[in-house]
Amino acid sequence: MKKLLNYLDKRMKFDSASAHCDVPCGIYDPITAQISALTVVRMVDLLTEHFENMTGSADFANRASRLVTTKEEHAEKTKHEVRIIWGDFMKEAHTQEYPELHKLVHSIMKLASESKQHVDREMAVQLVEKVNEFAEIFWKIKGEETVRAKAPYAPNLELVYRKV
Amino acid sequence: MKKLLNYLDKRMKFDSASAHCDVPCGIYDPITAQISALTVVRMVDLLTEHFENMTGSADFANRASRLVTTKEEHAEKTKHEVRIIWGDFMKEAHTQEYPELHKLVHSIMKLASESKQHVDREMAVQLVEKVNEFAEIFWKIKGEETVRAKAPYAPNLELVYRKV
Amino acid sequence: MKKLLNYLDKRMKFDSASAHCDVPCGIYDPITAQISALTVVRMVDLLTEHFENMTGSADFANRASRLVTTKEEHAEKTKHEVRIIWGDFMKEAHTQEYPELHKLVHSIMKLASESKQHVDREMAVQLVEKVNEFAEIFWKIKGEETVRAKAPYAPNLELVYRKV
Amino acid sequence: MKKLLNYLDKRMKFDSASAHCDVPCGIYDPITAQISALTVVRMVDLLTEHFENMTGSADFANRASRLVTTKEEHAEKTKHEVRIIWGDFMKEAHTQEYPELHKLVHSIMKLASESKQHVDREMAVQLVEKVNEFAEIFWKIKGEETVRAKAPYAPNLELVYRKV
Amino acid sequence: MKKLLNYLDKRMKFDSASAHCDVPCGIYDPITAQISALTVVRMVDLLTEHFENMTGSADFANRASRLVTTKEEHAEKTKHEVRIIWGDFMKEAHTQEYPELHKLVHSIMKLASESKQHVDREMAVQLVEKVNEFAEIFWKIKGEETVRAKAPYAPNLELVYRKV
Amino acid sequence: MKKLLNYLDKRMKFDSASAHCDVPCGIYDPITAQISALTVVRMVDLLTEHFENMTGSADFANRASRLVTTKEEHAEKTKHEVRIIWGDFMKEAHTQEYPELHKLVHSIMKLASESKQHVDREMAVQLVEKVNEFAEIFWKIKGEETVRAKAPYAPNLELVYRKV
C-alpha cells in the first residue's frame, strides 16, 4: 500500500444524515434523561423514608450510602444525556427558534447539581419538569407529537412522551 | 454513640416495594436496552455504507473506528440493561410463568456478542427482535399493555412500546 | 483503494478457537468472580466489626462509606464476570448437559443483588458457594480437574480451584 | 438512635463557599479542559503524519486505532470539563455579565463533536481557541489575571494561563 | 488487498518524539495530579467542618457521603496521573539522575492510600507536598523553570508551577 | 446529635489486619494481573494471524479494532493491578528485602506501555514474565509456595501459581 494521493478529499463527505451529529447519528432520545431525572426523585423519596426510622446499624448505613450514590449517578446521567442532545443534535438554528434553549439547559445543569447536593424533593421534581420541557422542544424539532402521562413506576410523576 | 444492641434487627425490613429489587427500586424500563439494540443495527448500516467507499485516509479510519466502538458499546449496554432487569426485577416465580425467560436472556447475550464480533445486519436485527420479546414479557409482568410501532429514528425498525 | 467485491465473504471465517466466543477468546477464568465474591464476604465482616464500635467521627463515616462502596463494586463485578462466561463461553449445548445452569446463574444475580442491599454474612457466603458451583461446571466443561481449598486471605473460605 | 425531629432543618445551610457549587467546591480550573483540547490537536497531527506512510500491518492499524481513541477521549474530556465549570460554577449572574457565555459553551460542544468526527486540524485548533476564551472568562470572574503563552509540549499552541 | 510482505518492518519506526512514550506523546503535565492532591486536602477540610455540626438528617448523610467519594476519586486520580508520568515518560536514565524517584513515587501511592483511609489533614498535606516534589523533578527533566505559589482556590496551599 | 469531643481519637485505630492496606484489606492476588498480561499476548497472536489475511471489509476492520482495544484494556489492567499491590500492600520493608522491587514494577509499566504501542509478541511475553516475577515475590512475602505451570488457555504460557 502506498501514500495516498487524495488529501484534498481527506475530510470525507458524510451523508446529510450524519453531517449534523456525533455518532450515533439520529438515535437521540430524551427518555433516558427523563428516566434518570425521575430516579433522582425516587431516591429522594426513599432516602426521606429511610431516615424516618434511622438506626445505627451497618444495614442502615449501607442502604443510605447506596441511595445517595444512585441519586448521584442519575443526576449525573441526566446532565450527560441532556448535554449530548443539546451539544450534538441541536444547532444554532434551533436556538433561534427556541431562544430559551441555552438557559433551559443551563438550569437543568444547576438543578441536577443541587439535587446532588441535597435531599430535596421540590428541587428534584423541578428537575423532572425542566427535562420534560427539554423533551418537548426536542420532539417538536423532530416533528413528532407528544403527550403527558404518568410514568408507570413510582414516583409516578408525569413525563412528556412521544405519541406512539 | 454506642454499640447497637439490636443485631437481630440488623437486616432491615424494607417496604414491600423495595424488598424485591436492587436500588433503584421499581424504575426498570427495557426501553434503554431497546434503543441500544437499535443503535447496533444503525452502526451496522453506517459501517456497511462507509466501507462501500473505502479510502485509505485518516478520516476514513477515524470514522470506521468510531462506528465500531459505538456498536461495541451499545451491544454491551444491551446486555447490561437486560441483565439488570432479569437479575434484579425478575423472580423465580416469573420464570415459571414464562418458562422461556432464561433461554431468551441467554440468546440475547449470544446475539449481542455476535453483533460485536461481526458487521452483520441480520444478527443485529434479531437482537432487536429478541429484546422486543423481552420487553413484552416485562410489561406483561407489570400489567401494562404494549404496542408495536416504528422507532422515530433510522433504522426505523419496530419496537415494542408500552401503551401510554 | 476501491469498493471491495467480496461481500459474500463479508462475514469472516474465524478459526474455530474464536468462533465460539467474544474477544478475548478462550481466556475465561472464574477465579476473578470468585475473588470478588469472597471480597463481598470480607466487606460484610469488616462492616460488622466496624459498626461494633460506632462513633460519630468523620473517620468512622469515611471507612463505613468505603467498605459499602467496595462491597458494591465487588458484588457488581461478580455478576459481570459470571455474565461474561455464561453469555459468551457457554453454549446451548452446555445448558443441556448442565440443565441447572441458567437457574444457577440467575440465583447468582439474585444473591449478589441482595448482598448489595444488605450487610448479611449468610447471603454473601451463599454467593461464594454458588460461584464455586459455577466454577466447577466451567472447569468440567474445559476438561480440567478441580480441588477445594481455603483461600489464602481472610475470610479464608473454601474456593474451587483448578488443579495446577 | 431515634427519629429526628428537625425536619424543617433538613436542607442544610452550607457555608457560603459551598453554596454555589457542586462538590468539590471552589477547585475549578479550566487548565484540564485546555490540555485536553490541545491533545486533540496533537492527535490530529500524529494521525496525519501516520497516514502519510500507511502500511497494511497490524502495527499500523494498532497505532491508528489508539490515536483515534485518544482523540475521542480528550475531545469528550474537553466537553465534560467545560460542562462542569459552566454548569456548576457559573451562575445566572455571570451570563448577564458575559452574554456570549452560553453560545460559547455550545460552540465548544459543537467543535469537540466535529473534532471527534474528523481528522481536521483547523477545527481542533478552533476548539483550543474557544476553550481559551472560556478560560479567560473564568479567570476574570475569579478576579485573576491571565497571560497567553506557548504550551511546553507539542503542538505548542498558545494557551491562556492564570498569571502565577 | 493482499497479504503484506514487509513483516520485518512490522514494528513501525515512530518519530523520535513518540518513541519514548505511550500515547498521547509529550503532553504530560503534573498539574492534574497536583490539583487532585489539593482536592483531597479540601475534602478533608470540608469533612472536618461538616462533622462539627453533625445531624442525623438525610441531607447530612448525603453530603458526608459525597465528600468521602470525592476524596476517594481524587486520591485515586493523583495515583493514576503520577503512575502515567512515571511509567510512560520517565526512563531508566532519569532514575539514575534522580535516584530517589522510585521511592518518591512509592511514597505518593502510600500517602494517597492513607488519605483514602482516613480524614487526616496532615497526611493529605504531605501528599500535596510529595506530588510537588514529583512535579519539580518532572519540569527539571523537561528543562523548564518552576515557581512555588499559592493555589487560587481553597485550601490555597503552595503548588509548584511551571514558570510561564 | 452533637459535636463530637473525641477529636484526638479522630484517626481510628484499625485492627492490625487492615492497618497495612487500602480497602479491601488482604485480598490481593496477582493472578488478575497475570491473566491480563497473558491476554495481551493472546491479542498479539490473534492480531498477527488476522493481518495475515487482510481484507478491506467492514468485518475485518471490526475485528482488528476490537483486538487492539482488548489488548489496550488488558495492558492497562496489568499496570493497574500491579500498581495496587505494589502501592497498597508492599511496604518500605519489602523493598529492602527485595531491592529490585521498584525497578521491576517500573519495567512492568514500561513493557505494558510498549505492548500497547506495538503488536510485538516478544515484548508481550516479557511482560508476562515480569509479572510472573512480581507474583513470585508477592507470594514469598505472604509465605506461600508457588509452582510454574502452563495456563489452561491459549497462548498456554507458563504462569507462576500459588500452590493450592
Side-chain angles (χ1 to χ4, degrees):
Chain A
M1 225 171 308
K2 44 247 112 117
K3 193 166 170 176
L4 292 163
L5 304 176
N6 50 348
Y7 259 93
L8 294 174
D9 159 43
K10 196 189 64 187
R11 168 121 67 108
M12 287 188 51
K13 298 293 163 284
F14 293 145
D15 56 7
S16 61
S18 62
H20 60 266
C21 67
D22 197 342
V23 178
C25 321
I27 308 198
Y28 295 110
D29 201 321
I31 192 67
T32 19
Q34 291 169 289
I35 293 174
S36 283
L38 200 70
T39 305
V40 174
V41 178
R42 180 72 173 141
M43 290 305 113
V44 168
D45 289 352
L46 292 175
L47 272 163
T48 305
E49 186 191 309
H50 191 51
F51 275 81
E52 273 166 15
N53 295 292
M54 197 183 177
T55 73
S57 68
D59 236 43
F60 181 88
N62 181 66
R63 181 163 164 86
S65 170
R66 298 183 73 233
L67 293 170
V68 170
T69 302
T70 306
K71 178 163 74 71
E72 190 79 8
E73 285 170 1
H74 283 272
E76 182 58 30
K77 206 174 165 186
T78 307
K79 289 184 182 190
H80 189 66
E81 298 286 327
V82 168
R83 192 215 79 190
I84 288 173
I85 297 181
W86 173 66
D88 287 342
F89 172 78
M90 284 163 174
K91 303 287 155 312
E92 192 60 28
H94 299 134
T95 69
Q96 275 149 18
E97 207 175 342
Y98 301 94
E100 75 281 20
L101 190 57
H102 288 339
K103 205 175 157 179
L104 175 64
V105 171
H106 195 237
S107 75
I108 288 171
M109 299 300 145
K110 286 279 167 246
L111 283 163
S113 291
E114 289 177 53
S115 295
K116 284 181 175 186
Q117 285 165 35
H118 302 288
V119 182
D120 184 322
R121 194 173 211 268
E122 203 184 321
M123 237 174 228
V125 170
Q126 262 187 61
L127 176 65
V128 172
E129 210 35 66
K130 288 290 179 192
V131 179
N132 273 338
E133 278 181 44
F134 182 78
E136 213 152 9
I137 292 176
F138 173 80
W139 289 118
K140 260 188 211 154
I141 292 175
K142 297 270 290 182
E144 299 271 345
E145 274 181 281
T146 54
V147 57
R148 292 183 74 98
K150 294 210 169 187
Y153 16 64
N156 302 102
L157 300 180
E158 275 191 7
L159 295 187
V160 167
Y161 289 99
R162 182 181 67 93
K163 224 177 202 160
V164 179
Chain B
M1 228 171 307
K2 45 245 112 114
K3 194 166 170 177
L4 292 164
L5 304 177
N6 50 348
Y7 259 94
L8 295 175
D9 159 43
K10 195 188 64 188
R11 169 125 64 106
M12 285 187 53
K13 297 296 163 280
F14 294 144
D15 56 7
S16 61
S18 62
H20 61 269
C21 69
D22 197 344
V23 178
C25 322
I27 307 199
Y28 295 109
D29 201 321
I31 192 67
T32 17
Q34 291 169 289
I35 292 174
S36 283
L38 200 70
T39 305
V40 174
V41 179
R42 180 72 174 141
M43 291 306 112
V44 169
D45 289 353
L46 292 175
L47 272 163
T48 306
E49 185 191 309
H50 190 51
F51 276 80
E52 273 165 17
N53 294 291
M54 198 182 176
T55 73
S57 68
D59 236 42
F60 181 87
N62 181 66
R63 181 163 164 86
S65 169
R66 297 182 76 232
L67 293 170
V68 170
T69 302
T70 306
K71 177 162 74 69
E72 190 80 8
E73 287 169 359
H74 284 271
E76 181 60 30
K77 205 175 165 184
T78 306
K79 289 183 182 189
H80 188 67
E81 299 284 329
V82 168
R83 192 214 78 190
I84 288 174
I85 296 180
W86 174 66
D88 287 341
F89 172 79
M90 284 163 174
K91 304 287 156 311
E92 195 58 29
H94 299 134
T95 71
Q96 276 150 17
E97 206 175 345
Y98 301 93
E100 75 280 18
L101 191 56
H102 288 339
K103 204 174 158 179
L104 175 63
V105 170
H106 195 236
S107 76
I108 288 172
M109 300 299 145
K110 287 277 170 247
L111 284 164
S113 289
E114 289 176 55
S115 294
K116 283 181 176 185
Q117 284 166 36
H118 302 288
V119 182
D120 185 320
R121 195 175 211 268
E122 204 184 318
M123 235 173 232
V125 170
Q126 262 187 61
L127 177 65
V128 171
E129 211 34 66
K130 289 288 180 194
V131 179
N132 272 339
E133 278 180 44
F134 182 77
E136 214 152 7
I137 291 176
F138 174 80
W139 290 119
K140 259 188 212 155
I141 292 175
K142 298 269 291 182
E144 299 270 345
E145 276 182 278
T146 53
V147 57
R148 290 183 74 96
K150 294 208 169 190
Y153 17 66
N156 302 101
L157 300 179
E158 275 191 8
L159 295 186
V160 167
Y161 290 99
R162 181 180 68 92
K163 224 176 201 161
V164 179
Chain C
M1 228 171 306
K2 46 244 110 108
K3 192 165 170 178
L4 292 163
L5 303 176
N6 50 347
Y7 260 93
L8 294 174
D9 158 43
K10 197 187 65 188
R11 167 121 68 108
M12 286 189 53
K13 297 295 162 285
F14 294 144
D15 56 10
S16 61
S18 62
H20 59 267
C21 68
D22 196 344
V23 177
C25 322
I27 306 198
Y28 296 109
D29 201 321
I31 192 67
T32 20
Q34 291 169 289
I35 293 174
S36 283
L38 200 70
T39 305
V40 174
V41 179
R42 179 73 173 139
M43 291 305 113
V44 168
D45 289 352
L46 293 175
L47 272 163
T48 305
E49 186 190 310
H50 190 50
F51 275 81
E52 273 165 16
N53 294 291
M54 197 183 177
T55 72
S57 68
D59 235 43
F60 181 88
N62 181 67
R63 182 163 164 86
S65 169
R66 299 184 74 232
L67 292 170
V68 171
T69 301
T70 306
K71 178 163 73 70
E72 189 80 7
E73 286 170 0
H74 283 271
E76 181 60 30
K77 206 174 165 184
T78 306
K79 290 183 181 189
H80 189 67
E81 298 286 328
V82 168
R83 192 214 78 190
I84 287 173
I85 296 181
W86 174 67
D88 287 342
F89 172 79
M90 283 162 174
K91 303 286 157 309
E92 193 59 29
H94 300 134
T95 71
Q96 275 149 19
E97 207 175 343
Y98 302 93
E100 75 281 18
L101 189 57
H102 289 338
K103 204 175 156 178
L104 174 64
V105 170
H106 195 237
S107 75
I108 289 172
M109 299 300 145
K110 287 278 167 248
L111 283 164
S113 291
E114 289 176 55
S115 295
K116 283 180 175 186
Q117 284 166 37
H118 302 287
V119 181
D120 185 321
R121 194 173 210 269
E122 203 184 319
M123 238 175 229
V125 169
Q126 262 188 60
L127 177 65
V128 171
E129 210 36 65
K130 289 289 178 192
V131 179
N132 272 339
E133 278 180 45
F134 182 77
E136 214 152 6
I137 292 176
F138 174 81
W139 289 118
K140 260 188 211 154
I141 292 175
K142 298 269 291 182
E144 299 271 345
E145 275 181 279
T146 54
V147 59
R148 292 183 73 97
K150 295 209 168 190
Y153 16 66
N156 302 101
L157 300 179
E158 274 191 8
L159 295 187
V160 167
Y161 290 98
R162 182 179 67 94
K163 225 175 201 159
V164 179
Chain D
M1 228 171 308
K2 48 244 105 121
K3 195 165 169 176
L4 292 163
L5 304 177
N6 50 346
Y7 260 93
L8 295 175
D9 160 42
K10 195 187 64 186
R11 169 124 65 105
M12 284 186 52
K13 298 294 164 285
F14 294 145
D15 56 6
S16 61
S18 62
H20 60 268
C21 69
D22 196 343
V23 179
C25 322
I27 307 199
Y28 296 109
D29 200 322
I31 192 67
T32 19
Q34 291 170 290
I35 292 174
S36 283
L38 200 71
T39 304
V40 174
V41 178
R42 181 72 173 141
M43 291 305 114
V44 169
D45 289 352
L46 292 175
L47 272 163
T48 305
E49 185 191 309
H50 190 51
F51 275 81
E52 272 165 17
N53 295 291
M54 197 182 176
T55 73
S57 68
D59 235 42
F60 181 87
N62 181 67
R63 181 163 164 86
S65 170
R66 298 183 74 233
L67 293 170
V68 170
T69 302
T70 306
K71 177 163 75 67
E72 190 79 7
E73 287 169 0
H74 283 272
E76 181 60 30
K77 204 174 167 186
T78 307
K79 287 184 184 189
H80 189 66
E81 298 285 328
V82 167
R83 192 215 76 190
I84 288 173
I85 296 180
W86 174 66
D88 287 341
F89 171 79
M90 284 164 173
K91 304 285 157 311
E92 194 60 27
H94 300 134
T95 71
Q96 275 149 19
E97 207 174 344
Y98 301 94
E100 74 280 19
L101 190 57
H102 289 340
K103 205 175 157 178
L104 174 64
V105 170
H106 194 237
S107 75
I108 288 171
M109 300 299 145
K110 287 279 167 245
L111 283 163
S113 290
E114 289 177 54
S115 295
K116 284 181 174 186
Q117 285 165 35
H118 301 287
V119 182
D120 185 321
R121 193 175 213 270
E122 204 183 319
M123 236 174 231
V125 169
Q126 261 187 60
L127 177 64
V128 171
E129 209 36 64
K130 288 289 179 192
V131 180
N132 272 339
E133 277 180 44
F134 181 77
E136 213 152 8
I137 292 176
F138 174 81
W139 290 119
K140 258 187 211 155
I141 292 175
K142 299 269 290 183
E144 298 270 345
E145 274 182 280
T146 55
V147 58
R148 291 184 74 96
K150 295 209 169 189
Y153 17 65
N156 302 101
L157 299 179
E158 275 191 9
L159 295 186
V160 166
Y161 290 99
R162 181 178 69 92
K163 223 175 203 161
V164 179
Chain E
M1 226 171 310
K2 48 246 108 129
K3 193 164 169 178
L4 292 164
L5 305 176
N6 50 346
Y7 260 93
L8 294 175
D9 159 43
K10 196 189 65 187
R11 167 122 67 106
M12 287 188 51
K13 297 293 162 287
F14 294 145
D15 55 8
S16 61
S18 63
H20 60 266
C21 66
D22 196 343
V23 178
C25 323
I27 308 200
Y28 296 109
D29 200 322
I31 191 66
T32 19
Q34 292 169 288
I35 292 174
S36 282
L38 200 69
T39 305
V40 174
V41 179
R42 180 72 173 141
M43 291 305 113
V44 169
D45 289 352
L46 292 175
L47 272 163
T48 306
E49 185 191 309
H50 189 51
F51 275 80
E52 273 166 16
N53 295 291
M54 198 183 177
T55 73
S57 68
D59 236 43
F60 182 89
N62 181 67
R63 182 163 165 87
S65 170
R66 300 183 72 231
L67 293 170
V68 170
T69 303
T70 305
K71 177 162 76 70
E72 190 80 8
E73 287 169 0
H74 283 272
E76 181 60 30
K77 205 174 168 187
T78 307
K79 288 183 181 188
H80 189 66
E81 298 285 328
V82 167
R83 191 215 78 190
I84 289 174
I85 296 181
W86 175 65
D88 287 342
F89 171 79
M90 283 162 174
K91 303 287 156 313
E92 193 60 29
H94 300 134
T95 70
Q96 276 149 19
E97 205 175 345
Y98 302 94
E100 76 281 19
L101 191 56
H102 289 338
K103 204 176 157 178
L104 175 64
V105 170
H106 194 237
S107 74
I108 288 171
M109 299 299 145
K110 288 277 167 247
L111 283 164
S113 291
E114 289 177 54
S115 294
K116 284 181 175 187
Q117 284 166 35
H118 301 288
V119 181
D120 185 320
R121 192 172 213 270
E122 203 184 320
M123 238 175 229
V125 169
Q126 262 188 61
L127 177 64
V128 171
E129 209 37 64
K130 288 289 180 191
V131 180
N132 272 339
E133 277 181 45
F134 182 77
E136 212 151 10
I137 291 176
F138 173 81
W139 290 118
K140 259 187 209 154
I141 292 175
K142 298 270 290 182
E144 299 271 345
E145 275 182 279
T146 53
V147 58
R148 291 184 73 98
K150 295 210 167 188
Y153 16 65
N156 302 100
L157 300 179
E158 274 191 8
L159 295 186
V160 166
Y161 290 99
R162 181 180 68 94
K163 225 177 200 161
V164 180
Chain F
M1 228 170 309
K2 45 244 112 111
K3 194 165 170 177
L4 292 165
L5 305 177
N6 51 346
Y7 260 93
L8 294 175
D9 157 45
K10 197 188 63 187
R11 168 121 66 107
M12 286 188 50
K13 297 295 164 283
F14 294 145
D15 56 5
S16 61
S18 61
H20 60 268
C21 67
D22 196 344
V23 178
C25 322
I27 307 199
Y28 296 108
D29 200 321
I31 192 67
T32 19
Q34 290 169 290
I35 293 175
S36 282
L38 201 69
T39 305
V40 174
V41 179
R42 180 73 173 140
M43 291 305 113
V44 168
D45 289 352
L46 293 175
L47 272 164
T48 306
E49 186 191 308
H50 190 51
F51 275 81
E52 271 165 18
N53 294 292
M54 197 183 176
T55 73
S57 68
D59 235 43
F60 181 88
N62 182 67
R63 182 163 163 86
S65 169
R66 298 184 74 232
L67 293 170
V68 170
T69 302
T70 305
K71 178 162 74 70
E72 190 80 8
E73 286 169 0
H74 283 271
E76 182 60 31
K77 204 174 165 184
T78 307
K79 288 183 183 189
H80 189 66
E81 299 286 328
V82 168
R83 191 214 79 189
I84 287 174
I85 296 179
W86 174 66
D88 287 341
F89 172 79
M90 285 164 171
K91 305 285 155 313
E92 194 58 30
H94 300 135
T95 71
Q96 275 149 19
E97 206 175 343
Y98 302 94
E100 75 281 19
L101 189 58
H102 289 338
K103 204 174 158 178
L104 175 63
V105 171
H106 195 237
S107 76
I108 288 172
M109 300 299 145
K110 287 279 168 247
L111 283 163
S113 291
E114 287 176 57
S115 294
K116 284 181 175 186
Q117 285 165 37
H118 301 288
V119 182
D120 185 321
R121 194 175 211 270
E122 203 184 320
M123 236 174 230
V125 170
Q126 261 187 61
L127 177 65
V128 171
E129 211 34 66
K130 288 289 179 192
V131 179
N132 272 339
E133 278 180 46
F134 182 77
E136 213 151 8
I137 291 176
F138 173 81
W139 290 119
K140 258 187 213 156
I141 292 176
K142 298 269 291 183
E144 300 271 343
E145 275 181 280
T146 54
V147 57
R148 291 184 73 98
K150 294 210 170 189
Y153 17 65
N156 302 100
L157 299 179
E158 276 191 7
L159 295 187
V160 167
Y161 289 99
R162 181 180 68 92
K163 224 178 202 159
V164 179

